[in-house]
Amino acid sequence: MEFLALEWVGKPIWMWVGFIAVVLALLAFDLGVLNKENKEMDIKESLVLSAFYIGFAIVYGGAIWWAYEAGHITTSDGTHAGITYFTGFFIEKALSIDNVFVISLIFTYFAIPRKYQYRALVWGIIAVIVLRGVMIGVGAALVQEYDWILYFFGAFLIATGIKMLVVPESDPDVSKNPVVKFLNKRMRVTKELHGQKFFVRERDEAKGRMVLAATPLFVALVVINIADLIFAVDSVPAIFAITTDTFVVYTANIMAILGLRALYFALAAMVHRFEYLKYALAMVLVFIGAKIFWNNIVGKLDPAISLGVTLALILGGVLFSLWKTRGETKEAKIAGAD
């Protein structure tokens, strides 16, 4: 048991083990109980499950806040663990809304029925937990070794935010995705789905034997995870700009992503209602990026101000989007785009 008391990247190992155990338990509950039988998740179920995940993330953040205030935990950079957790959580949650649109396009391209989508998304989380961990670990090592890289993160976030403000968005063409082309060229992929299976055995007439083949559901899963990595290029620097404490960065990221999979089915049906949120997110990225330079040139900005500005911008973007698109249907939006 002494092993659990040892520290790993600034926190006791028991904290890391406990967090991963909670995440795995939630995933097991998703796959083994909620999704034991393949069925379509309607909007009501999606919202109820999302409320559970968001509530759980808030309670978890409250526990971190209490532990920090009580002196039970500290952060590697001296920031308030609770405030930075919630700031990172809300930024990651808001940035992920754009990801929902891309995921929807991927499922549509591969003709994945809704009853199989949730299972693919949950399995995708397992990959995200590992991949985000690798990215955050690399980022933390770079920041620790080269503190000037935070200026690079800040400049990158400002440039990304400005680009989001001035460059018109275009829908990605999944058929031209290099990952899709590579998998279709290097792997045997079935033309049809085989239920919830990622791999099946089918007969190769040329070889005269059964061979392993991937299904379109597996290809969709891979493309979705690659898309998540691309989105992480924005979100990981954004949260490192708030705090360099690896535990806070990782837990805020994963908690936001866990609930997004449940919220997907509600958001996918109304993602057109958040058309103007990207401008708010762009301003958030510019603000967070500029804060790095402010902290090091003028003086450290109160973390509570960062949280307040972030929440105000995101909430303002959501409410303005809902107001501007009131009465607008998804079909009308698509027809207008055509």
Side-chain angles (χ1 to χ4, degrees):
M1 298 300 290
E2 294 181 359
F3 167 75
L4 295 177
L6 298 176
E7 286 196 355
W8 185 62
V9 279
K11 293 292 182 294
I13 290 178
W14 67 262
M15 289 183 65
W16 291 98
V17 172
F19 177 73
I20 295 298
V22 167
V23 171
L24 292 178
L26 289 172
L27 292 177
F29 176 69
D30 254 340
L31 285 170
V33 179
L34 298 180
N35 202 245
K36 191 173 183 179
E37 297 180 1
N38 290 313
K39 62 177 182 178
E40 286 192 23
M41 177 177 288
D42 58 32
I43 293 179
K44 180 180 179 181
E45 289 176 306
S46 174
L47 291 174
V48 169
L49 187 57
S50 297
F52 165 76
Y53 273 115
I54 293 172
F56 189 91
I58 291 174
V59 170
Y60 184 85
I64 290 180
W65 193 307
W66 171 83
Y68 178 83
E69 291 287 351
H72 297 308
I73 62 171
T74 58
T75 54
S76 58
D77 57 357
T79 55
H80 191 293
I83 293 176
T84 51
Y85 166 86
F86 279 112
T87 305
F89 172 80
F90 288 122
I91 289 177
E92 176 64 36
K93 200 75 172 175
L95 285 171
S96 297
I97 292 179
D98 273 348
N99 206 355
V100 169
F101 175 66
V102 175
I103 292 173
S104 178
L105 286 178
I106 293 170
F107 278 143
T108 300
Y109 174 79
F110 288 103
I112 308 298
R114 287 173 63 89
K115 65 179 181 179
Y116 300 136
Q117 290 177 9
Y118 188 73
R119 196 172 187 86
L121 290 171
V122 174
W123 278 107
I125 291 177
I126 298 174
V128 169
I129 291 172
V130 176
L131 294 174
R132 285 292 176 98
V134 172
M135 290 188 69
I136 290 170
V138 171
L142 289 173
V143 169
Q144 186 174 6
E145 188 69 23
Y146 311 103
D147 56 359
W148 54 264
I149 204 168
L150 283 175
Y151 291 106
F152 172 79
F153 284 168
F156 174 76
L157 292 173
I158 293 172
T160 301
I162 293 174
K163 180 181 177 182
M164 289 173 65
L165 285 171
V166 301
V167 178
E169 278 189 321
S170 58
D171 296 348
D173 188 344
V174 180
S175 64
K176 296 180 180 178
N177 187 293
V179 177
V180 175
K181 291 182 177 180
F182 176 84
L183 292 176
N184 284 326
K185 184 177 180 180
R186 301 291 181 179
M187 294 181 64
R188 178 183 292 272
V189 181
T190 63
K191 294 182 179 181
E192 298 179 351
L193 285 170
H194 291 263
Q196 63 183 12
K197 295 179 180 179
F198 293 124
F199 293 94
V200 294
R201 288 194 171 275
E202 63 177 13
R203 185 169 183 79
D204 187 327
E205 297 299 338
K207 296 181 179 180
R209 58 186 175 86
M210 301 296 288
V211 296
L212 189 67
T215 67
L217 186 62
F218 174 76
V219 180
L221 177 63
V222 173
V223 177
I224 287 171
N225 278 282
I226 296 297
D228 180 79
L229 278 178
I230 295 172
F231 275 93
V233 172
D234 289 338
S235 63
V236 171
I239 196 169
F240 266 117
I242 298 165
T243 177
T244 57
D245 187 275
T246 310
F247 184 79
V248 175
V249 171
Y250 185 66
T251 53
N253 255 265
I254 299 304
M255 280 296 181
I257 292 170
L258 279 175
L260 180 70
R261 275 11 185 202
L263 190 58
Y264 165 79
F265 294 95
L267 287 179
M270 56 183 294
V271 70
H272 63 287
R273 298 291 309 277
F274 297 97
E275 179 180 356
Y276 298 93
L277 178 60
K278 75 166 189 172
Y279 299 109
L281 293 178
M283 289 187 282
V284 169
L285 293 181
V286 171
F287 169 73
I288 296 299
K291 187 170 73 74
I292 292 179
F293 295 94
W294 179 277
N295 285 347
N296 289 278
I297 297 174
V298 180
K300 194 160 187 176
L301 188 67
D302 189 339
I305 296 177
S306 295
L307 177 58
V309 171
T310 300
L311 277 176
L313 287 172
I314 293 173
L315 183 60
V318 169
L319 293 177
F320 182 75
S321 291
L322 294 176
W323 176 71
K324 287 288 288 185
T325 59
R326 61 194 185 282
E328 187 175 293
T329 64
K330 186 175 182 180
E331 291 74 15
K333 178 67 179 176
I334 294 173
D338 293 340

